[in-house]
Amino acid sequence: MHYTLTRSARKTTAIYIRDGQVEVRAPFYMTRRAIDRFVAEKVPWINKNVAEQTTQIEQKKAFSTDYGSTLTLRGKPYPITQRHNPYAEFDDDAFYMPPGLQPPQIKTLCIRLYKILAQMHITQRVDFFARKMKVEPIVTKINSATKRWGSCSSQKSLNFTWRLIMADDEAIDYVVVHELAHILQPDHSPQFWAIVQKFLPDYPNRQAKLKELQTCLNSEDWS
């Protein structure tokens, strides 16, 4: 098993896999033989994760936003369609793009539309649930975060990634309620989850939908 070794003053040994490459981080005092033995014990786990990441890398390379491709909005598929207008737009039937664009240009325009649509829909859902939960967020912003669906600052500012608008409405509402609940309870204590459950009793099912979407996004290149 080939791997890159990084030693430091850490106390434990850990394996990290990035882009299909294996890195082992170990303490200064640990012998190479002990490290090799540690890695050998983890070979099945390493092989599984390397294979998954390699597949994702290939899928990202193949990912394309071109005329005829399909995009997801609020859990539903919509085609990218050519229309002889000088601007991009979305209606209830399709993402419409000007003619003659290359896939990277189409992707840029699709992201702009996603951000606009996310701001409109998610702000509406924040207003709706804020009234029900009797909280008052300061502002609702859309960002380009890749590792978090949403966040709530100590100043009651809500932030959501534009990627959330790809989720279906139930999953979107879960993230909205989750962040609003942080205004009442800043941590993830039992009290916090009791608040979420009060307004969304089926929230575990909604969490599962987000995990499915994240798996899908891991194989798409939206950078």
Side-chain angles (χ1 to χ4, degrees):
M1 172 64 66
H2 174 75
Y3 62 87
T4 300
L5 176 60
T6 302
R7 292 183 181 274
S8 66
R10 63 185 296 133
K11 296 181 179 180
T12 59
T13 305
I15 298 173
Y16 296 85
I17 302 174
R18 298 287 186 275
D19 298 327
Q21 303 300 310
V22 181
E23 178 191 5
V24 178
R25 300 179 188 178
F28 286 121
Y29 65 81
M30 194 171 187
T31 66
R32 188 59 184 254
R33 179 177 295 180
I35 295 171
D36 286 342
R37 186 164 56 249
F38 175 82
V39 172
E41 293 172 353
K42 304 296 183 181
V43 165
W45 179 87
I46 292 172
N47 287 340
K48 176 178 178 293
N49 282 270
V50 168
E52 289 177 353
Q53 288 195 14
T54 300
T55 298
Q56 288 178 359
I57 290 170
E58 293 303 316
Q59 289 174 334
K60 283 189 174 184
K61 289 180 180 178
F63 177 73
S64 177
T65 48
D66 204 348
Y67 303 109
S69 298
T70 300
L71 299 180
T72 301
L73 177 73
R74 293 174 58 186
K76 299 177 182 178
Y78 294 93
I80 298 175
T81 302
Q82 180 176 275
R83 175 181 281 181
H84 289 277
N85 282 336
Y87 50 84
E89 61 181 335
F90 171 82
D91 64 15
D92 291 335
D93 295 319
F95 286 84
Y96 292 103
M97 297 290 145
L101 300 180
Q102 296 300 311
Q105 295 172 304
I106 293 176
K107 182 195 293 185
T108 297
L109 292 175
C110 287
I111 292 174
R112 290 179 185 174
L113 288 174
Y114 269 134
K115 288 180 177 179
I116 293 170
L117 295 165
Q119 185 73 62
M120 293 172 57
H121 180 71
I122 294 175
T123 298
Q124 291 175 354
R125 301 311 292 166
V126 167
D127 292 343
F128 173 79
F129 281 105
R131 289 192 296 270
K132 292 186 67 173
M133 299 171 70
K134 296 181 172 58
V135 293
E136 297 182 2
I138 300 301
V139 66
T140 299
K141 298 179 181 180
I142 301 299
N143 59 31
S144 297
T146 58
K147 295 183 178 180
R148 302 182 70 176
W149 296 111
S151 63
C152 175
S153 74
S154 57
Q155 289 76 38
K156 302 180 184 180
S157 172
L158 302 186
N159 295 275
F160 301 92
T161 175
W162 62 263
R163 293 166 175 79
L164 181 59
I165 199 62
M166 297 183 188
D168 71 10
D169 288 350
E170 289 188 348
I172 293 173
D173 283 353
Y174 162 70
V175 178
V176 168
V177 170
H178 183 114
E179 301 310 330
L180 287 171
H182 277 309
I183 295 178
L184 299 170
Q185 187 71 35
D187 54 28
H188 287 108
S189 62
Q191 291 85 351
F192 168 84
W193 291 112
I195 294 169
V196 174
Q197 186 172 36
K198 176 181 178 182
F199 294 96
L200 297 176
D202 64 339
Y203 78 85
N205 295 332
R206 299 170 188 246
Q207 286 178 322
K209 291 183 177 183
L210 282 176
K211 290 181 179 179
E212 291 177 3
L213 175 59
Q214 187 60 63
T215 299
C216 179
L217 289 176
N218 287 342
S219 64
E220 298 180 354
D221 182 8
W222 285 103
S223 58

